[in-house]
Amino acid sequence: MCSRAHLHASLRRDEPPTRDATTGEIRVPLALYDLDEHRGDLPLVMSRSEAEALFTRLRLALMPTQPARATEAA
């Protein structure tokens, strides 16, 4: 039996995202796991605008954070 508390998805290796030329939908192949046990495959389907928003958020999340500058006392 599958415990929903431990489910997670990972990108499927060697399967790139695709775009539907007619609808513009983006499909990202995912593998579903319960802890380390493979439970199945499914695509994450997003509209073009959803994919662009996710891309923007991922770019921001991947940027290295700048250490806070120490202010010098004069």
Side-chain angles (χ1 to χ4, degrees):
M1 174 155 245
C2 186
S3 63
R4 293 180 191 268
H6 297 113
L7 287 179
H8 68 277
S10 295
L11 296 174
R12 289 190 351 220
R13 293 180 184 195
D14 301 321
E15 292 189 46
T18 59
R19 182 180 65 87
D20 184 299
T22 304
T23 65
E25 287 178 333
I26 305 297
R27 294 177 177 272
V28 180
L30 298 177
L32 198 61
Y33 292 90
D34 182 9
L35 292 175
D36 290 332
E37 187 176 338
H38 183 253
R39 292 294 187 168
D41 298 322
L42 72 153
L44 169 61
V45 181
M46 298 175 278
S47 69
R48 181 181 175 101
S49 62
E50 290 172 324
E52 288 172 343
L54 177 59
F55 179 72
T56 299
R57 290 180 179 158
L58 287 171
R59 278 190 315 184
L60 291 172
L62 292 170
M63 285 182 175
T65 57
Q66 297 292 330
R69 270 194 213 175
T71 55
E72 294 182 39

